[in-house]
């Protein structure tokens, strides 16, 4: 392998590693999630966005983009606010919008791996 090729491969790997470990944007951390969860029409629009059944707000597009990675990594790139918000949304969907929760789970977690893990974690936290 030529020196230039080795340099390119190493550079590409470093870019991939640094991109994978960088945190998610905090740009939308101040979105009023409680307000969204209390408004069925707005929440339905977010769900449609995530399901690719309707238009997305910028926040919805960002969520749709990062959701697969966040699930796979256990939200390791999430800040504390994002983790807290995620738990709140999951609890809300599981208890008040179970059909939507099932649809989203089938789309983003067809094998049920993450659903089982997070459901167990949320049950542990609520009983602790």
């Amino acid at each position: 392998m030529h020196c230039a090729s080795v340099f390119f491969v190493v550079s590409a790997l470093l870019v991939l590693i640094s991109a994978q470990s960088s945190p998610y944007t905090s740009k939308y951390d101040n979105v009023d999630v409680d307000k969204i969860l209390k408004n069925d029409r707005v929440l339905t629009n977010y769900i449609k966005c995530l399901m690719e059944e309707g238009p997305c707000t910028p926040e919805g597009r960002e969520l749709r983009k990062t959701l697969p990675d966040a699930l796979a990594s256990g939200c390791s790139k999430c800040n504390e606010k994002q983790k807290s918000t995620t738990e709140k949304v999951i609890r809300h969907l599981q208890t008040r919008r179970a059909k939507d929760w099932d649809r989203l789970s089938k789309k983003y977690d067809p094998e049920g791996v993450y659903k089982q893990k997070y459901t167990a974690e949320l049950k542990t936290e609520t009983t602790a």
Side-chain angles (χ1 to χ4, degrees):
M1 213 176 198
H2 291 91
C3 192
S5 297
V6 172
F7 176 76
F8 175 75
V9 170
V10 171
S11 296
L13 285 173
L14 287 173
V15 167
L16 284 173
I17 291 168
S18 66
Q20 290 176 347
S21 63
S22 60
Y24 300 126
T25 182
S26 59
K27 184 176 179 179
Y28 303 111
D29 284 3
N30 293 320
V31 169
D32 189 346
V33 174
D34 291 320
K35 189 174 181 179
I36 293 169
L37 295 177
K38 290 176 184 175
N39 186 322
D40 281 337
R41 183 186 58 79
V42 173
L43 181 56
T44 296
N45 287 339
Y46 273 98
I47 292 167
K48 284 181 178 180
C49 164
L50 292 172
M51 294 298 296
E52 299 180 63
E53 297 170 348
C56 293
T57 63
E59 301 91 11
R61 276 192 299 278
E62 184 67 28
L63 178 60
R64 190 171 67 193
K65 181 179 88 177
T66 59
L67 186 57
D69 182 67
L71 286 171
S73 71
C75 215
S76 65
K77 297 180 215 170
C78 298
N79 62 35
E80 289 307 311
K81 169 78 172 160
Q82 292 163 342
K83 288 178 184 178
S84 163
T85 299
T86 299
E87 291 172 9
K88 181 184 289 191
V89 170
I90 289 172
R91 278 193 188 99
H92 182 87
L93 292 173
Q94 286 178 329
T95 60
R96 297 201 173 112
R97 304 277 298 250
K99 287 180 183 177
D100 289 322
W101 171 248
D102 288 340
R103 288 178 62 228
L104 288 164
S105 296
K106 284 177 185 152
K107 178 174 178 64
Y108 289 95
D109 185 20
E111 303 298 317
V113 175
Y114 309 122
K115 183 178 180 180
Q116 185 176 22
K117 177 186 173 200
Y118 294 122
T119 301
E121 284 179 17
L122 289 174
K123 284 181 182 174
T124 302
E125 289 173 8
T126 56
T127 59

